[in-house]
Amino acid sequence: MEIENFKNIDPITMKKFLLALAIFLVPCISLFAKLSVVQLRTENQINPIGMDVKVPRFTWYLESEKRNTLQKAYEIRISTSENFRQMLWTSGKVESDQSVLVEYEGSPLESNTTYFWQVRTWDNHGQSSGWSKTGSFRTGYFDPADWSADWVGLGFEEDENRSSPYFRKEFSSTKKIKSATAYITARGLYQAYLNGEKIGDDYLTPGWTAYQDRIQYQVYDVTDKVKSKNALGVVLGSGWYRGYIGFSGQKNYYGDEISFLMELVLEYADGTKERILSDDSWTCNYGPILSADIYNGEIYDARMEMAGWNKEGFNQTNWKAVQIKDYGYESLVATYNEPIRKQETFKPIEMITTPKGEKVLDFGQNLVGWVQFKVKGKSGDKFRMTHAEILDKDGNFYTENLRAAKAELIYTLKEGEQTYEPHFTFFGFRYIRIDDFEGDIIPEDFTAVALYSDMEKTGEFASSHELINQLQHNIQWGQRGNFLDVPTDCPQRDERLGWTGDAQAFSRTAAYNFNVHSFFTKWLRDLELDQREDGAVPFVIPNVLGKDAAGSAGWADAATIIPWDMYMVYGDRRILEEQYESMVNWVGFMESNSKDHLWNTGFHFGDWLFYRPDDDNDGRAAVTDKYLIAQCFFAHSVQIMIHTAKVLGKEADQKNYEALLKNVKDAFLKEYVTPNGRLVSSTQTAYVLALHFDMLPESMREDAAKRLVENIRSYGVHLTTGFLGTPYLNHVLSRFGYDGLAFELLLREKYPSWLYPVTMGATTIWERWDGIKPNGDVQVPSMNSYNHYAYGAIGDWMYRNLAGIDTDPEHPGYKEFVVKPLLGGGFTHAKGALDTYYGKIVSEWKLDNGQFSLEVQVPVNTRATVYIPSTSSSTVKENNNSISSSQSLKILGEENGYVKVEIGSGIYTFTR
Ligand code: RAM
């Protein structure tokens, strides 16, 4: 249309034109908007409900097309109304670049209330984001007095198998509902229903905590499930609370009776409230779950199903009265970590008839969860499904390594077609064997469902080496399988406990793969609760092994190492504040059990599962003195205390710990090091720990590193380290200039090595370097798990060194970070990507016919120091332009074969 014609346009056409223009322009404006705020998190979660943190922290990240963008100021506002009509708190415009874990500073929050918040930001280019989209959070109950429901248990004598009790109650609600919120927990495990539908998509609730001190409750929004006539239903299982737990056949660790607590809070449109409570108006009965136990599995009789039991109108004439328990509410806390949810699913890749004639389905992945199935048959037909991780060398189903855990399902059919999945158990398996099945097994009717804590996936590592990529896959699956509300050592045998040593060894790797911030925050609280009065930290958390099972070096140090890792990775200062006392107490324990600062008392696991050849006539087994190890971890924990005290501004403590560290190191030198710098244990772990924790004076370090290298060579270039030495082995080699050797170890395919299990077809990390020997022999069945993440700690070196992404310790949480890719080992490509609280970091390098390129992605509001492998800055280009002329980066210099530059946010491609 010509401009002159404009004037002649009739008003209606003009309106239409303007409307069309507006429709076109609005998305364009937001597309070109310079600065935007996304991912509003309250306490690490997006729109959490049922949170009892009284001073929550807010995190957001910024997006901008412009390079070098930093936040200059922010403003937060909070309201109880979604349209922000009345403000509960506004921060005002705060000149600050803080966008992570900003504390709420308004008046005290109230229980059971929904809050809405927004943030707007200003950047260093003079841009402003405007108000963000709205984030929300709903508080749980802050106070025990907020509760009024009764703990409800079984009203009749329990049968021997401890069948799962079913509970029900009907209620009507005639007014218009504004919101309905369910608060639920149990001593035991629960599944709850409203009008026949399961409440929530989480499983194995309420999860596992130090139950004697605290039990988490869950909060669910069930607004859309409430009708005028309703039924609530609850089923219970024994779970961790009173089922079999630990490897000594014990049960009833926390109590011998199960019960639940529930409040359904109805808020009506007219402003009134009503609560439907668990109380003596409920009734109970037995149903089809004849037995349910974490280790042993389930026995289920579908003929005993009670159709409609959890719906309104059900005939409950033979249901019995319940019993009220007097537990009170003191131990109740809101759930802090992500609940266990269903994740990936797998169909069988093969149906196998083993040499023994067993019918076996192979799901192709060692995973943790259960199998859902559909079967058809006659009422009373019965079959057994057993779970296993491996087949033995003849190809038969192998369950010996499960020890006393039966890990089976015994299912009795009702008439016709039916579907089923377990309720209160989980299995670690890749294979299932089906015995006594009448009729044909149809593989497609069986689905393996992975269950684990619903942590956000944050990391990606990929490379040009297929076996290393499989190793990364195995590391991640080791984590998936063992981050099931607590970090377990293994998920399949009669153990599945929160072993502290395994957790500390793997915590940094874990934090690359998934966001484990809330997961470990919750677990560390249990650690503190289970910590002994004298400061000793138990071997497992939650502790079910008794008071004496505590204080092993490298295990108990989870108390210091993990909070510090969480601070490094997430920039969370509060976790240091909250754990400080526990950290102090653990270090205090070591100190008070030392003589002249030498800690050589007590029981220690030592360098667990280090390499020990069968026929060891020449001292080839890599035995490291346990007290030497203890002294190294003593120093390491004290070092962490020095850092922590500094961060928290506790100057006096810092000074004391500095003095203590000197004494601990002196004692080490005196007891374990010859004047020429030889360690009394001539093992890789001894040298690795001494070097990594700076136990030796500078002047001795080079020689010690050489001894380490010689030792590795003396085993034909093999590692011999166990749980404690392995995580640091390649880090130490890299630090002292032996990257080449680190690569050789990484790529070793003969055991002991990381890749050996991969070449044997592993899909997870094994507990032992030689869990299955090359000839197929299974090693030490009494302690041999094929899903044990500890040795997966090499993942940290792969991300930090090979891909080269690491936070600057002075600016934790990746506010400032380093990208320093490591070339070598024949790799032609490596990529690391990490979702941080600032956004995604990427470091991806390639060698294409000798042509090197490095792509780096730096989130807004962060800065990176990038090391480009090149000897001279004059040859390095960024996006095809010489870096010396670039406006958007600063050349910091040349260093050991790298050109060092500093960059702000944006995507950069460097070539040379
Ligand atoms: C084993 C566990 C765990 C280890 C302890 C010492 O039973 O599986 O991995 O930390 O022993």
Side-chain angles (χ1 to χ4, degrees):
M1 144 191 349
E2 307 249 318
I3 301 271
E4 297 90 273
N5 293 345
F6 239 105
K7 294 172 238 152
N8 308 331
I9 292 174
D10 70 276
I12 293 188
T13 315
M14 186 63 178
K15 259 192 194 157
K16 279 188 187 160
F17 170 71
L18 288 177
L19 190 73
L21 192 71
I23 290 171
F24 170 69
L25 278 181
V26 167
C28 291
I29 289 169
S30 48
L31 203 69
F32 295 121
K34 296 281 162 48
L35 182 69
S36 52
V37 180
V38 287
Q39 295 266 3
L40 271 62
R41 289 166 196 269
T42 313
E43 285 297 305
N44 329 330
Q45 291 189 45
I46 295 179
N47 304 341
I49 72 167
M51 206 193 62
D52 65 0
V53 180
K54 292 196 172 128
V55 183
R57 293 161 300 170
F58 304 113
T59 298
W60 58 88
Y61 71 71
L62 299 160
E63 280 178 348
S64 166
E65 297 282 295
K66 263 204 157 127
R67 280 186 170 180
N68 283 317
T69 301
L70 291 167
Q71 178 183 292
K72 278 277 148 205
Y74 69 82
E75 181 175 4
I76 299 174
R77 62 180 186 181
I78 293 202
S79 172
T80 47
S81 74
E82 217 169 341
N83 52 21
F84 293 88
R85 216 171 285 142
Q86 267 174 353
M87 227 56 79
L88 181 73
W89 177 60
T90 59
S91 65
K93 187 171 174 180
V94 182
E95 301 286 329
S96 162
D97 66 351
Q98 192 183 353
S99 58
V100 170
L101 300 169
V102 177
E103 284 196 358
Y104 171 72
E105 284 173 2
S107 51
L109 301 174
E110 296 199 0
S111 284
N112 194 35
T113 307
T114 302
Y115 294 91
F116 302 93
W117 69 280
Q118 290 179 323
V119 58
R120 58 175 165 179
T121 59
W122 291 264
D123 72 11
N124 53 333
H125 303 302
Q127 310 175 113
S128 119
S129 64
W131 288 111
S132 65
K133 284 195 180 141
T134 303
S136 69
F137 61 96
R138 188 182 175 96
T139 51
Y141 288 163
F142 285 142
D143 194 334
D146 291 331
W147 290 91
S148 19
D150 292 320
W151 285 93
V152 165
L154 209 61
F156 48 86
E157 206 181 315
E158 193 164 30
D159 67 19
E160 252 186 17
N161 287 338
R162 298 178 146 187
S163 301
S164 274
Y166 286 64
F167 299 84
R168 72 184 311 276
K169 178 196 168 69
E170 297 194 4
F171 69 96
S172 39
S173 132
T174 41
K175 292 197 260 178
K176 192 168 181 291
I177 297 266
K178 192 176 138 221
S179 75
T181 312
Y183 285 70
I184 317 174
T185 192
R187 288 173 140 77
L189 299 175
Y190 74 84
Q191 286 194 355
Y193 299 84
L194 177 52
N195 295 325
E197 271 180 66
K198 186 175 175 314
I199 297 179
D201 56 359
D202 33 7
Y203 291 85
L204 301 168
T205 42
W208 192 10
T209 43
Y211 288 141
Q212 76 287 353
D213 288 312
R214 58 184 213 130
I215 299 183
Q216 298 198 132
Y217 61 84
Q218 286 75 46
V219 182
Y220 308 93
D221 181 353
V222 292
T223 312
D224 56 1
K225 287 195 176 72
V226 180
K227 303 177 191 164
S228 51
K229 288 188 159 186
N230 303 279
L232 283 167
V234 170
V235 198
L236 297 181
S238 299
W240 297 285
Y241 186 79
R242 67 155 197 189
Y244 285 100
I245 196 77
F247 33 80
S248 54
Q250 73 177 354
K251 55 183 178 182
N252 300 337
Y253 193 79
Y254 297 98
D256 61 358
E257 289 175 341
I258 47 175
S259 55
F260 75 98
L261 181 74
M262 178 174 203
E263 299 202 10
L264 178 63
V265 184
L266 303 173
E267 288 182 39
Y268 294 110
D270 64 7
T272 57
K273 272 190 193 175
E274 188 184 357
R275 295 199 210 193
I276 312 298
L277 306 174
S278 52
D279 58 17
D280 60 6
S281 66
W282 288 60
T283 54
C284 63
N285 202 356
Y286 276 146
I289 305 175
L290 302 186
S291 165
D293 180 86
I294 287 179
Y295 295 161
N296 292 331
E298 270 181 34
I299 303 175
Y300 189 87
D301 188 341
R303 295 169 305 177
M304 296 179 69
E305 283 172 1
M306 307 162 289
W309 72 275
N310 49 16
K311 291 188 181 151
E312 176 272 325
F314 176 77
N315 177 358
Q316 58 167 44
T317 35
N318 56 353
W319 284 51
K320 323 233 164 28
V322 296
Q323 199 187 66
I324 302 304
K325 310 273 174 191
D326 191 19
Y327 297 128
Y329 314 115
E330 288 298 329
S331 60
L332 296 173
V333 291
T335 302
Y336 190 75
N337 57 325
E338 300 84 359
I340 295 169
R341 295 209 170 93
K342 289 181 178 170
Q343 314 283 351
E344 297 82 356
T345 56
F346 295 83
K347 286 285 179 194
I349 56 167
E350 200 186 346
M351 182 153 86
I352 302 165
T353 305
T354 69
K356 280 189 184 164
E358 304 155 308
K359 293 267 174 282
V360 169
L361 294 178
D362 175 5
F363 290 98
Q365 172 64 51
N366 193 358
L367 67 111
V368 175
W370 56 48
V371 175
Q372 292 172 335
F373 58 80
K374 184 166 87 185
V375 287
K376 207 168 161 182
K378 291 197 303 296
S379 173
D381 284 354
K382 196 173 180 174
F383 68 91
R384 175 194 305 260
M385 182 193 285
T386 316
H387 301 71
E389 293 183 288
I390 56 163
L391 303 180
D392 70 12
K393 74 176 186 189
D394 302 320
N396 292 314
F397 198 72
Y398 186 85
T399 56
E400 215 183 316
N401 67 328
L402 306 185
R403 302 195 306 219
K406 288 192 190 131
E408 67 182 14
L409 181 76
I410 298 173
Y411 185 85
T412 306
L413 279 76
K414 59 185 175 185
E415 196 64 35
E417 192 173 280
Q418 52 216 281
T419 55
Y420 176 79
E421 70 177 7
H423 305 78
F424 303 121
T425 185
F426 61 88
F427 309 99
F429 67 103
R430 168 175 169 169
Y431 303 93
I432 54 170
R433 184 184 67 205
I434 302 172
D435 298 322
D436 310 324
F437 193 76
E438 303 282 333
D440 293 333
I441 296 168
I442 304 167
E444 302 85 78
D445 290 345
F446 292 79
T447 308
V449 183
L451 289 157
Y452 52 89
S453 288
D454 197 14
M455 309 160 292
E456 220 176 294
K457 189 167 191 265
T458 46
E460 183 197 332
F461 176 88
S463 76
S464 51
H465 199 297
E466 277 317 309
L467 296 181
I468 294 295
N469 295 346
Q470 182 66 35
L471 174 65
Q472 168 66 9
H473 170 100
N474 296 2
I475 294 170
Q476 290 193 328
W477 273 94
Q479 184 166 356
R480 290 184 169 105
N482 286 294
F483 276 50
L484 201 87
D485 209 53
V486 305
T488 59
D489 58 331
C490 59
Q492 71 297 77
R493 65 186 181 215
D494 55 345
E495 193 148 356
R496 316 187 197 184
L497 304 175
W499 281 95
T500 44
D502 309 41
Q504 70 78 8
F506 189 66
S507 61
R508 193 68 198 260
T509 304
Y512 275 109
N513 293 325
F514 292 88
N515 183 328
V516 292
H517 192 180
S518 305
F519 181 87
F520 276 126
T521 303
K522 169 246 181 192
W523 185 73
L524 285 168
R525 286 182 192 152
D526 294 310
L527 182 149
E528 180 157 18
L529 288 167
D530 275 344
Q531 195 168 357
R532 249 170 29 193
E533 253 163 49
D534 63 0
V537 177
F539 301 159
V540 300
I541 302 293
N543 184 17
V544 289
L545 300 181
K547 286 255 177 225
D548 292 340
S552 170
W555 269 252
D557 300 275
T560 49
I561 294 172
I562 301 181
W564 184 253
D565 278 350
M566 295 302 104
Y567 173 67
M568 279 293 112
V569 173
Y570 303 109
D572 183 359
R573 196 173 178 272
R574 190 184 284 178
I575 202 167
L576 295 179
E577 275 162 11
E578 286 184 354
Q579 296 301 130
Y580 194 70
E581 204 186 314
S582 152
M583 298 165 82
V584 166
N585 290 343
W586 167 236
V587 170
F589 175 87
M590 291 187 275
E591 198 179 354
S592 51
N593 282 279
S594 310
K595 202 170 164 256
D596 298 330
H597 302 103
L598 190 68
W599 183 32
N600 57 2
T601 52
F603 166 82
H604 300 280
F605 290 108
D607 191 27
W608 193 246
L609 298 186
F610 59 85
Y611 177 63
R612 43 194 126 166
D614 302 331
D615 201 9
D616 183 24
N617 291 328
D618 304 313
R620 307 296 294 154
V623 190
T624 311
D625 186 301
K626 291 182 178 176
Y627 291 132
L628 179 154
I629 293 175
Q631 195 72 4
C632 289
F633 275 91
F634 185 9
H636 183 44
S637 278
V638 175
Q639 179 63 70
I640 289 174
M641 292 316 296
I642 296 171
H643 293 318
T644 305
K646 186 168 175 220
V647 171
L648 300 181
K650 297 177 187 290
E651 274 170 40
D653 288 10
Q654 190 188 329
K655 286 224 170 69
N656 289 340
Y657 286 122
E658 277 164 359
L660 176 60
L661 183 61
K662 187 176 176 306
N663 289 331
V664 171
K665 286 187 181 174
D666 286 348
F668 178 82
L669 286 178
K670 207 165 135 200
E671 185 76 8
Y672 302 113
V673 190
T674 67
N676 283 337
R678 217 149 45 81
L679 298 181
V680 299
S681 296
S682 180
T683 61
Q684 294 172 22
T685 290
Y687 283 101
V688 164
L689 296 181
L691 287 168
H692 196 68
F693 299 152
D694 292 334
M695 303 302 288
L696 304 172
E698 291 273 3
S699 57
M700 283 184 177
R701 292 181 190 167
E702 289 299 328
D703 279 351
K706 274 191 202 134
R707 289 200 172 92
L708 169 62
V709 170
E710 275 160 22
N711 185 299
I712 293 169
R713 296 227 161 97
S714 78
Y715 283 91
V717 190
H718 272 291
L719 56 77
T720 62
T721 48
F723 277 26
L724 297 184
T726 304
Y728 311 120
L729 174 59
N730 269 12
H731 283 300
V732 168
L733 291 175
S734 288
R735 173 174 159 195
F736 289 93
Y738 298 100
D739 281 322
L741 192 57
F743 273 118
E744 273 187 76
L745 288 181
L746 178 71
L747 298 176
R748 256 301 182 206
E749 291 179 25
K750 267 172 61 195
Y751 81 85
S753 72
W754 288 287
L755 286 188
Y756 170 69
V758 173
T759 65
M760 294 294 283
T763 58
T764 38
I765 300 293
W766 291 354
E767 179 174 21
R768 295 170 176 274
W769 293 122
D770 57 350
I772 303 174
K773 281 276 159 69
N775 68 0
D777 282 349
V778 171
Q779 295 306 291
V780 201
S782 60
M783 211 190 76
N784 198 348
S785 132
Y786 296 96
N787 196 355
H788 225 85
Y789 56 67
Y791 285 145
I794 184 63
D796 177 42
W797 184 84
M798 285 156 46
Y799 276 108
R800 266 208 261 186
N801 290 53
L802 194 41
I805 303 173
D806 199 0
T807 188
D808 174 349
E810 295 298 318
H811 304 273
Y814 300 90
K815 177 81 176 85
E816 294 193 11
F817 60 95
V818 172
V819 171
K820 189 177 183 184
L822 179 62
L823 275 58
F827 281 83
T828 54
H829 169 227
K831 176 182 179 182
L834 180 66
D835 286 319
T836 69
Y837 285 154
Y838 296 95
K840 194 188 262 319
I841 294 175
V842 178
S843 161
E844 177 166 20
W845 63 264
K846 280 188 192 134
L847 266 176
D848 208 353
N849 282 327
Q851 172 68 52
F852 174 81
S853 69
L854 169 65
E855 187 180 307
V856 181
Q857 191 172 319
V858 181
V860 173
N861 205 23
T862 68
R863 303 194 70 77
T865 303
V866 182
Y867 290 75
I868 305 143
S870 167
T871 41
S872 157
S873 55
S874 61
T875 57
V876 177
K877 292 183 169 163
E878 191 274 302
N879 211 4
N880 289 329
N881 299 315
S882 154
I883 54 167
S884 37
S885 59
S886 172
Q887 300 289 322
S888 53
L889 58 82
K890 196 159 119 201
I891 301 174
L892 300 175
E894 286 152 16
E895 197 181 291
N896 301 331
Y898 287 99
V899 170
K900 208 170 152 186
V901 301
E902 191 187 323
I903 56 179
S905 67
I907 297 175
Y908 299 75
T909 305
F910 297 100
T911 47
R912 56 151 204 230

